[in-house]
Structures are given as structure tokens and as C-alpha cells.
Amino acid sequence: MPRKQIELSNRVEYLNILDLEGNADAALDPKLDANELRKLFRAMLLARRYDERMLKLQRQGRIGTYGPALGQEAASLGPAYVLGKDDWMAPSFREPAGMLYRGWPMEKLILWWGGNETGSSTPTGVNDTPICVPVSSQCLYAAGIAWGCKLKGGKNVALGFVGDGGTSEGDFHEALNVAGAFQLPLVIVIQNNHWAISLPRQKQSAAQTLAQKAIAYGMNGLQVDGNDILAMVAATREAVEHARSGKGPMLIEAVTYRMGVHTTADDPKKYRTEEEVACWQPKDPLERFWKYLAKKKVMDEKAREALEAELAEQITAAVAKAEAYEPDITEPFRHSLAEMPPTLKEQFAEFQAYMDSSSRPDNGSAPSAHDPLMSRLH
Amino acid sequence: MAELTMAKALNLALHEAMAEDPTVLLLGQDVGQDEGVFRISEGLLKKFGADRVIDFPVAESAIAGVSVGMCLTGFKPIAEMQFSGFGYHAFHQVENHISRFRNRTRGRFTCPMVIRMPYGAGIRAIEHHSESREAIWAHLPGLKVVVPSGPRNARALLRASIFDPDPVMFYEPKACYRAFKEEVPDEPETMEIGKAQVVRTGSDVTIISYGASMRPVLEAADDLSLEHQVEADVIDLLSLSPMDTETIIASVKKTGRVVVVHEAPRTCGPAGEIIARIVEKALDFLEAPIARVTGYDLVMPYFNLERHYMPDPLKVVTAVRDVVSY
């Protein structure tokens, strides 16, 4: 009757390729060519500048509450970069770098944060689900997509993002459990940015790593320096290939940091120190990657300046396009169900009559005290 | 025509739909090898294989959420919740994704899926197995809620639900699974979702109900006719969302008196909605206050007391007599 250590067949490793000075480990470097490197830098820089512009737009009251992704560009972009066009991506809400790279027009993201559902309508030709707000619930449909891909017999995979906070939700565990049990081609990337609004990572889970949660579901977990784009590309490439070749799901924990606010509605000064934030500054994924590119002479300052100007223009154009958008007030009625049932048709007619009525306050003539209806009511 | 129980009729609809359309899948706890705890999925695993009849881990949120992803890749999943009492685990996937994907993606992604759940009391089941909470689901925009009452309409409505372009919550009155048989046509039959049926005609009173409560209602209607010379127009709603206002109003205009019957608790139950519609559209035709025969606003009593909680023929007869003699 022994009591002994159980040998687990799954493992957890840590991967980092790029140091803080932009030197890559030659053995681990995914060795992307100059074009690929420039493409990655462009996408990361675009996401950074987009993010900065969005914060300004929020402060100016031109969009609603915004959840910045400052500092998490590599963790979002790396996975998106390695996916094939026909693979699927299920983002949470801090993946603009990946979404923009996958082909989401920027104005759609601006429209989404500006309170327009058209920002949720995945563009034709893009196999992504829209931004998902209820944390970790997207892991389940990502698993379902992976299941669908497997049933179709193709080689496509699904990749889902979740935050460190989301790993506490049941849906995260249910998704990993079925993905393991049914060997689904699913990759889940945890963007561990250390804070779920005000709850620190240590209080989210006593687990030493979040990647090790994979083991419970019979898969490998890999913890990655999430601010290292080369490591994110290498790690997700391995996971996607693993899933694509029928070997089942994989879990990746991208260790990153939320440099800004959770959303523009909160004040992180209430729960974390500026020293802590400062510690992460040298790990900035964008500047670290820039150092690497400069050392490799893939890009010089002049090329960067030209790129900066080009991207600023692109962002300005996207903002203008989004702000010119006029929502169709009838759309919610038309897309509730495939066909409006009679009850909804009736409500739609009531709504239209109200919108057309000349006594509606914003139609120019506010109801006056002399209005016969008003006098009846008083 | 064959005489079938509702359990067999539902099984027939599943066989037909899966044979007809290879994108139709069934997933849930015990649906495959065990053929469903109520045997609704008898023979399906053998016929269609484990890729299409999926024995799923006990995780209702996953059953619902994974189905969403399957829809996005072109499948029509039928998700079974073993009992409606466990379907609450899946509530947030239904509210946050299943009922919303069409609207939020403006039609780019839709969820043409069915969630089947046995509901209601009357089979002496243990705790958490006997509730009627259809009102919760019927409150969700973007979701249809269908409740069959007998073998023939169960088969036709399940078929309609499977091929509907929108998500359908299919609430199965488990007390009716094996309670009686009905003739079911040999050819696949479809009914339009959102249409009620007048199952008995009369001009003295309108009785509106659905699902398992149709049995006591029809018994009461027979009794009212034989013993009390009261002829009831009996409406079987069959779908709570969308709900067929037209059929209700036509009947109320004829009879002027209404009794609404359901097993679900009274407050904010479907009867409230039905009555609101009658008041909005046929107030002037009413000859008496509308009566409700419903479950009480109580946690469902365990099975030793459940029959006292539920609508029964006598409660219906009493309510109708009060309304008619007002």
C-alpha cells in the first residue's frame, strides 16, 4: 500500500527569448526575417498609438468607457500573428493589437467602444468572434469552435484569450476540461496582467503559475514572458501547431502587466503602488522589441519616424470614419431574431410612431403646458 | 399513423432531423450510451455515431457555450440539459451569448440551436427536479421558448425548433413523456413556432394554458361541459416567446371571460403577460375579472406535497365557475 509521488505526464515550462536590452537567445529566437519583424513592429506600434488615441478620445467624451491595453501588445499580437487566416480567434477585451492585425478595421473597434453594435459585427473574411465582456465566457465558445473545426475534419484551430481574473470563473475550467477530454484543437492564452480591477494576481489564485492549471485538464501549460514578442510568437506557434496536428489543446500564460487603468472608470492609485508600475517600465514590449530591431539593423530611427507619421494618419482617418457613422435606429429590431414576430412588429411600429411624432422633445417642439394632454394630466 | 408517447415522438423527431441534416448534433449528459435518462435519445448513438451524439461531461454552462461555437462553425447543435433544474448553470451563456450573437454581430454570427430541458412536477422526483421556470427564459430577447403539450405537437415543434434560424429553448413537460399516447403521422410534420392552437371550442369562457397544465385543463373542460353546461374555448399556447396574441384576443372577444392556467409561480409568471395583452387589446370585451390558476409563489414542495401545489382539474373548474358566475 504505497503512498508515493504521482508522476504526471504533463509539464509546465517558462519561456523568454528577448532580454531587456533587446538581445535574443540565439537558440530560441524564432528567426523571423526582416519583413516579418517589420510587420510585427508596425502592428505593435499601431496598437500602442491606437490605444493612446482611444484614451484621449475617452477623456474628450468622444467614446465611452475605455479599457486600455497599454503594455499588453505583445501578448495579444504574438498569438494573432501565428494564426492562419481560416483559424479562429476569440478575443476578450484587451486584444486590439491582435484584432487589428487579424483584419478588424480600426473604426469598428472605435465604434464598439463608442457604443455601437456595428463594432461587434465581425468583418467578412475574418474568422473572429467580437470583443467579449463577460470574463472567460468566450473560452467556451472558443472550445465549441475548436470542436466544430475538428468535426469538419479540417486543420483549423481556435485560439481564445482570457485574463488572470477570468481563470477564476467556471467557464474557463469547463472549457479546458472539455478541450482536454475531447482533444480539441484549442489554444487558450491567459493574459496575466496581474490585476483584475483591484484584485492582485496573488489573491486570484494560490497556484504558483496560472499555466499549471493546464495539468489538471491533461494538457501542457507554458508560461511565457508576455512582454516579449519573440517568445509570444514562438510559444503560440508551438501551441497552434500542436493543436493543428491533432495533439489536443494547450494553455499559455502570458506574464504581462496592465500599465494603465483597468478601464477609464477606475483609479488604480487606490489599490497599487507607483513603484510597482515603474518596475514594469523597462519591460515595455514595444521598446524592447525596438532595441532588438535596431541592433539587427532591421529598422532605423528614420524609418520609425516615417512609420509613426503614417500610423498617426491611419488612426486619424479611422477616428473620422467612426465619428461620421450614423447608427440605424431600426437595426436592433431587425437583428433580434431572423424575422420579427408579431409582438415585436407591434413594438417596432410603436417605436417608429414615437420617433416620428412631432411632439417628441428632440423633434423640436417640446410639449407645452398648453398641450391638451398635459392640461388633462394636471 | 402510429400511436406514440411524447418520449417516442421526440425521439422520432430527433431521428428524422439528424438523418435529414448532417449538421444536426446532439450533446448533453448521458444522451449517448445511456440514450438519455428519459430515453429521448434512444438509438441515436448507434445510428449517428459519437461525433454527432456526444456524451458530454456534467457541465451545463459548457454544454450551452460549446454549442455557441459549434453554431459559428456551421452546425445545428441540440443541447440537452438533463433537468431544467440544472439549466441555471447555463443561464449566463444563454443570456450573454446564445440570445445575443445575432444582434451584436448584426447577423454575421447566429445561434440556430435548441436547448432541450425536461421541466415540471408530477413524476415524484427529488429536490430540484420539478420546477417550472419558463418565465425566466421567456423574458430573454433573442430567444424563443417553446412548450409542447402532447406527442404530436412535441414532434412537430421539435422539428421546427431544430430548423429554426434562431435559438429555441424547448421546454419538455416530463410529466407528459409517458402519460398518454397520440396518433403521430408517418411523415415528418412541422408546426409554426409562435402559433397557438384552439384545442376545444366553446363560447362561455376562454381557458389559456400550455405544456403539462393542458391535461388538467382539458379534463376540467370536459367536466365543465358535462356537469355544468359551461363550454370552454381552450387555447394551447405551445410557444411562450413569441406568444400568439391574435388567437388569444379572438377567443376573448367571443367569450368575454378568461382563466389562465400554469404550473409556474404566479408572480411575473406567463399568466401576467397573457392578461396584460388581453387588457391592452380586449378590455371592453371582458365580462368578468380574469382568474389565474397557477403554482404558488413558493419553492416547489417536495413530491409528497407537490400535487397540492399544482393546478388540477378541480381548481380550474372552480375558477371557471367563479368567472362565469361573476
Side-chain angles (χ1 to χ4, degrees):
Chain A
M1 314 297 164
R3 175 174 173 149
K4 58 179 186 180
Q5 188 66 38
I6 294 174
E7 292 301 321
L8 297 173
S9 57
N10 294 109
R11 59 176 200 270
V12 179
E13 292 174 343
Y14 175 80
L15 178 70
N16 162 235
I17 297 176
L18 207 53
D19 72 11
L20 299 187
E21 298 315 312
N23 304 302
D25 182 318
L28 298 172
D29 191 334
K31 298 192 174 56
L32 303 170
D33 69 31
N35 270 339
E36 289 179 291
L37 292 171
R38 277 194 287 267
K39 213 156 102 182
L40 275 173
F41 183 71
R42 181 198 180 89
M44 246 213 267
L45 189 63
L46 179 69
R48 174 67 57 91
R49 299 295 175 247
Y50 155 83
D51 201 70
E52 291 163 352
R53 185 73 63 92
M54 289 297 272
L55 263 179
K56 282 191 194 131
L57 292 177
Q58 195 281 331
R59 300 302 184 211
Q60 294 161 359
R62 290 158 72 183
I63 58 169
T65 300
Y66 179 63
L70 179 69
Q72 296 181 229
E73 294 88 350
S76 166
L77 178 61
Y81 183 77
V82 304
L83 285 180
K85 196 172 181 308
D86 293 331
D87 291 327
W88 287 75
M89 189 172 92
S92 179
F93 51 87
R94 253 187 256 280
E95 283 83 33
M99 291 177 82
L100 290 170
Y101 183 78
R102 291 273 292 168
W104 284 76
M106 188 179 287
E107 61 268 19
K108 269 197 182 283
L109 302 189
I110 302 171
L111 283 166
W112 190 87
W113 289 103
N116 293 286
E117 283 93 341
T118 190
S120 288
S121 61
T122 305
T124 316
V126 177
N127 268 1
D128 295 353
T129 49
I131 290 173
C132 181
V133 174
V135 295
S136 93
S137 62
Q138 71 278 10
C139 296
L140 280 175
Y141 58 67
I145 290 169
W147 206 315
C149 290
K150 188 179 175 179
L151 286 174
K152 283 174 151 179
K155 289 283 175 199
N156 293 331
V157 305
L159 185 146
F161 285 97
V162 64
D164 45 310
T167 65
S168 294
E169 290 274 8
D171 281 358
F172 168 77
H173 300 275
E174 294 191 19
L176 290 184
N177 188 49
V178 299
F182 291 87
Q183 290 292 287
L184 304 180
L186 175 73
V187 177
I188 293 287
V189 175
I190 303 168
Q191 280 222 32
N192 170 11
N193 69 9
H194 286 84
W195 290 90
I197 308 188
S198 66
L199 195 79
R201 156 67 185 88
Q202 312 85 271
K203 283 193 184 164
Q204 199 66 245
S205 169
Q208 198 180 330
T209 68
L210 296 177
Q212 76 199 57
K213 290 175 187 275
I215 293 177
Y217 305 107
M219 65 184 85
N220 290 336
L222 180 57
Q223 194 185 52
V224 185
D225 180 341
N227 285 11
D228 170 355
I229 184 68
L230 297 182
M232 282 308 296
V233 167
T236 39
R237 182 166 279 168
E238 178 187 321
V240 164
E241 277 165 14
H242 178 87
R244 205 187 295 291
S245 62
K247 291 179 189 151
M250 223 177 119
L251 180 67
I252 288 175
E253 175 189 0
V255 182
T256 181
Y257 193 77
R258 188 236 296 162
M259 296 301 286
V261 292
H262 164 69
T263 70
T264 47
D266 88 321
D267 176 11
K269 287 195 188 77
K270 281 180 76 174
Y271 51 81
R272 70 180 185 190
T273 64
E274 283 177 31
E275 294 78 59
E276 184 191 306
V277 183
C279 282
W280 282 85
Q281 207 65 56
K283 298 178 189 167
D284 183 298
L286 182 72
E287 296 312 324
R288 243 167 112 184
F289 188 43
W290 173 250
K291 285 179 193 165
Y292 172 78
L293 297 183
K295 276 186 182 158
K296 283 186 80 121
K297 301 199 187 320
V298 169
M299 273 181 98
D300 58 17
E301 280 293 347
K302 219 176 131 195
R304 178 168 174 167
E305 274 166 33
L307 183 61
E308 292 270 14
E310 185 196 328
L311 298 182
E313 217 169 284
Q314 185 186 334
I315 294 166
T316 303
V319 173
K321 207 165 170 187
E323 292 194 325
Y325 172 77
E326 287 280 348
D328 172 358
I329 56 168
T330 66
E331 268 205 316
F333 283 93
R334 289 196 283 115
H335 291 291
S336 176
L337 294 162
E339 266 183 63
M340 262 190 250
T343 325
L344 193 57
K345 272 189 193 148
E346 214 177 278
Q347 292 173 25
F348 185 42
E350 174 194 313
F351 170 72
Q352 279 182 316
Y354 171 74
M355 292 309 289
D356 294 343
S357 97
S358 55
S359 59
R360 197 164 56 91
D362 52 348
N363 270 5
S365 55
S368 73
H370 304 296
D371 186 303
L373 177 67
M374 295 299 277
S375 52
R376 243 174 75 192
L377 290 175
H378 287 99
Chain B
M1 289 249 193
E3 285 247 310
L4 300 181
T5 60
M6 185 187 278
K8 280 281 184 203
L10 290 167
N11 178 252
L12 176 63
L14 292 172
H15 271 280
E16 287 168 349
M18 292 190 80
E20 194 176 320
D21 184 343
T23 67
V24 177
L25 313 170
L26 178 70
L27 58 154
Q29 190 194 345
D30 302 313
V31 298
Q33 202 62 43
D34 192 44
E35 305 188 311
V37 291
F38 291 103
R39 306 290 172 266
I40 307 299
S41 42
E42 209 165 29
L44 291 171
L45 175 66
K46 210 174 283 171
K47 195 158 164 194
F48 300 105
D51 271 357
R52 295 186 60 197
V53 182
I54 301 163
D55 272 320
F56 210 94
V58 189
E60 290 77 7
S61 189
I63 293 170
V66 160
S67 296
V68 172
M70 287 174 165
C71 287
L72 305 194
T73 47
F75 291 94
K76 295 186 187 77
I78 303 166
E80 180 181 298
M81 304 291 153
Q82 199 160 75
F83 286 89
S84 65
F86 309 125
Y88 312 119
H89 285 295
F91 182 84
H92 98 90
Q93 284 289 338
V94 179
E95 159 64 25
N96 289 326
H97 297 311
I98 293 169
S99 65
R100 283 172 178 250
F101 248 97
R102 173 184 291 280
N103 183 58
R104 58 199 292 268
T105 65
R106 292 299 189 240
R108 168 75 203 272
F109 295 128
T110 59
C111 291
M113 59 180 285
V114 181
I115 303 176
R116 294 179 36 238
M117 296 193 194
Y119 84 93
I123 62 158
R124 298 176 63 78
I126 59 164
E127 196 181 1
H128 301 290
H129 285 64
S130 303
E131 285 71 17
S132 299
R133 296 283 185 267
E134 56 276 22
I136 293 175
W137 309 105
H139 193 64
L140 307 184
L143 181 73
K144 296 181 179 180
V145 181
V146 168
V147 193
S149 62
R152 186 169 176 175
N153 60 42
R155 187 258 202 130
L157 284 168
L158 181 54
R159 181 184 174 76
S161 301
I162 293 168
F163 294 115
D164 195 277
D166 289 307
V168 179
M169 181 66 68
F170 196 82
Y171 240 47
E172 298 173 6
K174 58 180 171 291
C176 299
Y177 274 153
R178 293 191 161 71
F180 59 100
K181 287 184 177 179
E182 240 175 40
E183 292 220 320
V184 172
D186 297 329
E187 291 305 308
E189 195 179 23
T190 305
M191 283 173 88
E192 191 183 338
I193 293 176
K195 287 268 181 261
Q197 267 191 343
V198 180
V199 293
R200 184 189 170 108
T201 52
S203 53
D204 299 324
V205 63
T206 299
I207 310 178
I208 303 165
S209 189
Y210 57 87
S213 298
M214 286 306 295
R215 302 316 293 167
V217 162
L218 288 170
E219 236 182 90
D222 279 345
D223 187 57
L224 284 162
S225 173
L226 287 170
E227 306 289 333
H228 308 284
Q229 290 76 50
V230 171
E231 295 302 331
D233 227 27
V234 177
I235 296 175
D236 184 350
L237 284 176
L238 298 170
S239 166
L240 294 178
S241 178
M243 189 189 280
D244 181 355
T245 318
E246 209 182 318
T247 301
I248 296 170
I249 298 304
S251 174
V252 173
K253 285 183 175 171
K254 181 172 72 171
T255 65
R257 297 169 199 273
V258 187
V259 174
V260 189
V261 184
H262 62 58
E263 205 175 306
R266 190 167 304 164
T267 299
C268 294
E273 178 60 34
I274 294 163
I275 294 167
R277 292 185 189 200
I278 294 169
V279 169
E280 282 168 356
K281 292 178 193 295
L283 181 67
D284 293 345
F285 294 84
L286 288 177
E287 305 281 350
I290 300 172
R292 286 188 275 185
V293 179
T294 68
Y296 305 100
D297 291 347
L298 296 173
V299 169
M300 189 69 196
Y302 298 178
F303 64 78
N304 259 318
L305 295 180
E306 72 181 8
R307 68 194 165 88
H308 301 292
Y309 168 93
M310 284 154 65
D312 62 22
L314 183 59
K315 285 180 185 171
V316 178
V317 167
T318 308
V320 168
R321 293 188 68 194
D322 286 350
V323 164
V324 170
S325 63
Y326 177 79

